[in-house]
Structures are given as C-alpha cells and as structure tokens.
Amino acid sequence: MDKENITTAIFGSKEMRHSAPTETLPKHKMSPEIAYQIVKDETYPQTQPRLNLATFVTTYMDDYGTRLMNESIAINYIDETEYPRVAVMSGRCINIIANLWHSPEESEWKTGAPGIGSSEACMLGGVAAWLRWRKRRKDAGKPYDKPNLVMSSAYQVVWEKFCQLWQIEMRTVPLTHEHITLDPKQALAMCDENTICIVPIAGVTWTGMNDDIEALDHELDQYNRRTGYEIPIHVDAASGGFILPFLQPETRWDFRLKWVKSISTSGHKYGLVYPGLGWVVWRDKSYLPEEMSFSVNYLGASISQVGLNFSRPAAQILGQYYNFIRLGFEGYKEIHQTSMEVAKYCHEEIGKMECFRNYAKRLENPLFIWYMNPEYDRKARWTLYDLQDKLMQKGWMVPAYTMPKSIEDMVVMRIVVRQGMSRDMADMLLADIRSAVEELEKLAYPTSSRLSYEKREKSLKGRVYTH
C-alpha cells in the first residue's frame, strides 16, 4: 500500500478527485476507509430511512438486534446441517406466529415457512391453494386449466405477479367511494368452480384499512354449502398480521374462522425486523401440498425445504426471534400502540386543515391517507404532488398517488407510522406540512402538476370525487 493511502486524509486522497466507477472495475485497489466513504456519500442525498413515511419496512432496531443481525449475516439459513439452531429458531418463530393467529394445529411444530418478505409468503400461500384446487379437480375427473383468484382491486403487485407466473386469472372486486374495502357479496359473485381462493387483505397498502374477513367467511360458508365448492381464504396480512393480535385481539380474522386456510405476513414490517423477511402459516399440515416440500441433498445432508428461494442470510430469522424474546407480547403491544397513537394524532391534525379531508374517519392500522378537500381543490393552484416535493426538500418522504382503477380520479397522500416515529417527529412533520401549504397558497400561477391534473380530469370526463 502506498504512503498516500496510509497517511493522507480521506478527502485529500486522489480517489476523491475522480468520479465513482460506473462501467468497469477500477484498475487499482483502494483503502477500505475510502471505498466506504464513496459508497456512503452516494446515499447521502437520499431521504434518511426514519423520515421515509412511504415505506412499511422497518427502519429502526435497537443496538443489540442490529448487532445480532450484523454478526449473523454470513450464516446461510438453508444449511441446516452446519447451523441447526437456526432451523430450530425458525420453527419457534413459526410456532409463535401461528399461535398468535389461533392455529388449531396440535403438532409440536406448526406448519409454516419463512420467506424473503411477504411477497414470497404470498406466493407460497397462493401456490398451495392452486395445487390443492388442481388435485381436487383431477381427482374428480374435471378440467383444471382455467384457475382464477378473487380479491379487491387494492391488491399488492405480488398478486399480479403470482397470477401471471402461474397463469391464473385474476378477478378483482373494484373499490368504490361507497365500498372502501372488499365487498364480500361482490367477491362471491365473481367466484365459480375454478376459484382457487379468495384473498382478503389485513392492512391494505393503499388505504390502511382492513377487509372484513369475518363477514367474508360467513358469506363464503353459505356459498360453499350451497354450491358444494371448497373455496378457501388466504389472508394477505402483510401489515395487519402483526397489528391485529396486539391492538385488536377481539377481532376474528385468523384461524378462528372456518375457511381461513393460510395467512401470510411480513416480518420486516410490523414484525419489526430489518428487510427482508416474511412468514406464511397454514391451518395444519394437510393444507400444505406434498409437492411443495423439496427434499434435497445439500452439503452432505438431506433436508426438506419449502420456499421459492434457497440460500439466504439467517440474520433476519435471528432478528425475528430476538424481537420475540426481547419484547414479548407486552413489548410488541406498547410499540404498536405508540405507532397507532402517533398516527391518530397526525390523522386528527391533518383532518383539521381546511385544504384536506381524511379518507376514513378512524384508523385500523398505524397509517392513513388523505386527499384535497373538493371545495378547496377547485380553486387551488397546486396539488398533493407539489406538497410531496416540498416535504422532500425537508427530508420527508410522504408519497402522493392515484387510487386503484374505478376510483383513479382520487389523488391521495399517505403516512405510514412505524417504530422510530415519535410524537416530537410528528410535530416537526406537521409543522413542515403547514409551512409548505402556506408557501403553495402564495403561488400566483398554477403549478405544472396542477395543469396536468386538470388535463387528466377532463380526460376522465369531469368525474368529481366525493367521499
């Protein structure tokens, strides 16, 4: 190593006088301190993770949880022969989650699997439902080439991917201004003998609302009895799976309901683990098709594996188990209750502002959306996209977006409150929102986003939203 790399200050080095490599490997090596600083500086202009109120993903863990995950980043989860205790901890996590969801399974180890995020968990739940449906059709000597799946139009994109990859027709129940969550009767009207499952959502990413899963189960029970079908429910509980057991334990949405056969959730959202980690749990072993368990000879031992991915770091699983034993039921409840109270505070304060109107009167999860008051909107020279830009200048990421098809005339903004968001931070955010609105109200001419919005409104034939 030359003298400059040892004695020269990082920002006095020759590497800092050149742009970072973009196409080819640099010819010479550099010190780890300088390489670290270059990569670190690349991320500097971004929103800091805790100010990113767009993401559902965990952006804060305590020092010991972070340390434990950093120390286990080199452990390959799938290598159960070398790291058998990781497999045990994964099984314990599945047991804990299954029991939070009132699993009726009586075996020592509940039936479930980890995934890299709730997306893989959704895929596994969907594949299991498809394979079970296909087997029933084969056994009955009926065609099995036209499967379909039913859920609301407020789906997460993973379900679109799932249906495309496995060639399953996706039937979506539109949200309306009257039905802001999945309408069970409309969902059942879309079902037939080829429906592999209905997918209600606990914690809709678009709105923060929960589908009424108990009402759906009741309607589905009557429907299945009348038709002789066995259409199951897979609950996409990416967010709600770790909120409902702690903040709404009396709500029946899980395995307490007859037709709920599988549930997926995200450990890296309100499970409070850094990304990426998801979990899927089946009602019992009979609902996990045998062909989904792959026995492989890996590094000298035969193991069974359920999942779309293979090698992955064990860090997230250790982080999840750490959280479970560190926080316990009370700890999770306290953290989520704090998030909910901060979200309610923001919801109330934004609802008081003349220019805004909240989408829902009450919160079901620690997130919510709002839109422009229609009366104010008619004379405004700005849109929520302009407010998003103003807040981004202050370091906040608060997204503005259009709602799903059938109510795409509505532009909304969303705040997701997670561990790491305090009441004091909420006050800072609200102050920045009020300040931004004051600046936008002083505009003499419409912004480009306002002009684009008005043009779009005309293309939608003048539909005006009222809610």
Side-chain angles (χ1 to χ4, degrees), residues 57-71:
V57 170
T58 294
T59 55
Y60 168 85
M61 288 182 71
D62 67 36
D63 290 344
Y64 284 98
T66 302
R67 175 179 167 185
L68 183 65
M69 290 185 67
N70 286 337
E71 291 172 350

Side-chain angles (χ1 to χ4, degrees), residues 178-235:
E178 293 73 34
H179 296 285
I180 60 177
T181 56
L182 178 71
D183 184 324
K185 292 186 183 299
Q186 287 190 48
L188 292 174
M190 292 186 174
C191 292
D192 57 31
E193 62 182 356
N194 292 316
T195 302
I196 66 170
C197 65
I198 302 176
V199 184
I201 305 170
V204 177
T205 58
W206 295 78
T207 66
M209 309 290 287
N210 294 329
D211 290 336
D212 190 338
I213 302 168
E214 184 171 15
L216 174 64
D217 184 79
H218 176 74
E219 295 283 345
L220 180 60
D221 189 45
Q222 295 181 353
Y223 179 89
N224 281 340
R225 269 195 244 171
R226 186 172 67 252
T227 61
Y229 301 157
E230 298 180 39
I231 298 173
I233 292 172
H234 173 86
V235 181

Side-chain angles (χ1 to χ4, degrees), residues 14 17 40 93 112 119 136 149 205 248 261 263-264 277 288 294 300 328 348 368 425 437 442 453:
K14 63 179 181 295
R17 301 169 205 151
K40 183 75 173 177
C93 287
S119 294
R136 286 196 303 273
L149 173 149
T205 58
Q248 299 180 44
K261 307 304 184 184
I263 304 172
S264 56
L277 179 65
L288 176 63
F294 291 89
E348 288 176 12
F368 66 95
M425 289 175 66
V437 169
K442 295 175 182 176
Y453 174 76

